[in-house]
Amino acid sequence: MSFKQVWSDEIHQDSRYGIKGEILVNHKSKYQEIIIIKTKNNGNALMLDGCWMTSDKEEKYYHECLVHPALSSYEDPAKILIIGGGDGGTARECLKYKKVSSIDLVEIDKDVIDLSKKYLKNTGQEAWKDIRLKIHICDGMEWVKEIHNNYYDIILVDCSDPKEHSNVLFSLSFYRECKRILKQNGIFATQSESPEAFKDAHLNIINSVKKVFSIQSTLYSCVPIYPSGIWSWTFASDNKHDFLSKKYKNIETIEKSCEIWNLNYQSGGFKMMPNKILKVLDE
Ligand code: SPD
């Protein structure tokens, strides 16, 4: 039986970023509109409130770049917090590290998790069955406020673009709570939008993270499905930290398991800040 192929577009600043496919899910949750499509070339793809989040083909560009610069440069990444990440890709990458003993995945929208488990099996893979992964359906800000000081080794923020319920995850007060609940040498990482398509949001994130943490560095790479393609992830710590250092033992095994990320790739990415961003940050 053949199903109707339709275009689903993210419309951003008068440009359309579209993929053709069959609609598998078109659902309105308590928080957002969730669309999942089945495509010929990208596998299954997830869109939230009209914005692409992930596709089977491209998710590794995003998840590997959020996770590995933080975990590979940390000797003992035991306790991890993921804010958002309801498709399971970030958790899957963290679980490759044997030293990870627990992951709290805090996602506000249970429907995203349930639908991802069913329709984005390639993304979460076996992560959902791993006993180290604990799911909490909860607002990210509420969660961090409840955690005691110096608790996590690593915090990864895998959220949607800033709007309505996600705005708080880009606020100074959220970053301050994250710093409080991180161990002294802990690492904070957040997706930090596009320097091209979301330039203002990108600059705000970098400037805010800088105000809260003493060390920060931004990695640039691409996520072809996102507006303009170029994307970024910002890493921070309150301790002297070199995100390019190879602290985790057996990092070669992790490198081999990745489709996109490796130590050379990230070392280029950390040097790719476009001049137009550098100039504004220097002002
Ligand atoms: N413009 C899209 C930004 C979305 C970032 N989060 C993606 C979720 C993938 N786990």
Side-chain angles (χ1 to χ4, degrees):
M1 186 148 69
S2 76
F3 289 91
K4 201 172 159 209
Q5 302 275 313
V6 293
W7 282 96
S8 297
D9 294 328
E10 171 167 354
I11 296 174
H12 182 72
Q13 292 169 344
D14 293 341
S15 293
R16 288 155 59 156
Y17 300 85
I19 315 182
K20 201 162 138 186
E22 169 200 334
I23 308 268
L24 298 176
V25 175
N26 188 348
H27 168 73
K28 183 106 189 76
S29 76
K30 188 173 161 200
Y31 298 98
Q32 55 209 337
E33 178 191 66
I34 304 174
I35 290 178
I36 301 181
I37 63 168
K38 180 178 170 184
T39 76
K40 199 163 133 202
N41 297 314
N42 291 60
N44 289 0
L46 167 71
M47 182 182 250
L48 297 180
D49 274 347
C51 299
W52 292 116
M53 291 295 121
T54 199
S55 84
D56 281 338
K57 186 175 170 216
E58 299 181 356
E59 56 92 7
K60 294 195 172 72
Y61 279 103
Y62 177 92
H63 295 121
E64 292 180 4
C65 281
L66 174 62
V67 171
H68 299 302
L71 274 74
S72 67
S73 65
Y74 198 86
E75 215 175 303
D76 188 11
K79 283 188 177 151
I80 314 281
L81 171 64
I82 299 172
I83 300 285
D87 54 52
T90 297
R92 178 201 69 216
E93 289 305 308
C94 292
L95 288 164
K96 289 178 174 174
Y97 292 75
K98 292 211 168 73
K99 287 201 172 178
V100 167
S101 59
S102 74
I103 301 177
D104 287 319
L105 188 155
V106 178
E107 165 65 56
I108 196 167
D109 193 342
K110 183 175 183 297
D111 293 359
V112 170
I113 295 187
D114 292 344
L115 291 166
S116 297
K117 281 182 180 170
K118 187 161 175 198
Y119 294 102
L120 299 171
K121 289 193 174 27
N122 276 343
T123 301
Q125 295 177 13
E126 299 304 299
W128 301 118
K129 294 184 195 146
D130 195 304
I131 54 166
R132 294 174 291 168
L133 178 64
K134 288 154 191 87
I135 314 279
H136 311 276
I137 305 302
C138 175
D139 174 272
M141 183 64 161
E142 296 307 310
W143 179 269
V144 294
K145 278 187 186 159
E146 293 300 316
I147 303 294
H148 65 70
N149 293 358
N150 311 117
Y151 186 76
Y152 290 109
D153 292 291
I154 292 178
I155 298 179
L156 304 164
V157 184
D158 179 7
C159 59
S160 323
D161 305 314
K163 59 180 170 197
E164 293 160 65
H165 61 266
S166 60
N167 260 336
V168 69
L169 303 180
F170 298 90
S171 67
L172 276 175
S173 49
F174 174 72
Y175 295 152
R176 287 195 184 108
E177 288 295 334
C178 288
K179 168 168 148 162
R180 180 185 62 74
I181 64 174
L182 270 176
K183 289 187 184 158
Q184 215 203 341
N185 60 343
I187 297 176
F188 172 82
T190 183
Q191 74 90 355
S192 46
E193 302 288 318
S194 166
E196 184 57 41
F198 297 91
K199 187 175 167 211
D200 290 346
H202 176 64
L203 287 168
N204 280 339
I205 296 165
I206 296 180
N207 282 326
S208 303
V209 169
K210 251 187 185 170
K211 282 190 185 131
V212 175
F213 294 92
S214 53
I215 303 279
Q216 64 91 34
S217 191
T218 298
L219 168 77
Y220 294 87
S221 176
C222 58
V223 183
I225 199 180
Y226 291 171
S228 82
I230 180 163
W231 211 255
S232 76
W233 299 261
T234 294
F235 300 83
S237 176
D238 232 22
N239 213 29
K240 242 182 145 198
H241 190 86
D242 178 5
F243 296 104
L244 288 169
S245 67
K246 190 170 111 179
K247 290 268 177 56
Y248 190 81
K249 270 195 199 148
N250 304 327
I251 199 61
E252 291 75 16
T253 318
I254 306 279
E255 266 188 307
K256 280 189 196 131
S257 76
C258 287
E259 193 171 296
I260 306 296
W261 176 89
N262 60 47
L263 292 164
N264 275 338
Y265 186 88
Q266 75 167 19
S267 116
F270 273 120
K271 293 177 196 131
M272 259 177 61
M273 183 173 274
N275 246 3
K276 68 176 178 185
I277 300 296
L278 260 177
K279 285 179 189 165
V280 186
L281 287 173
D282 281 349
E283 274 166 12

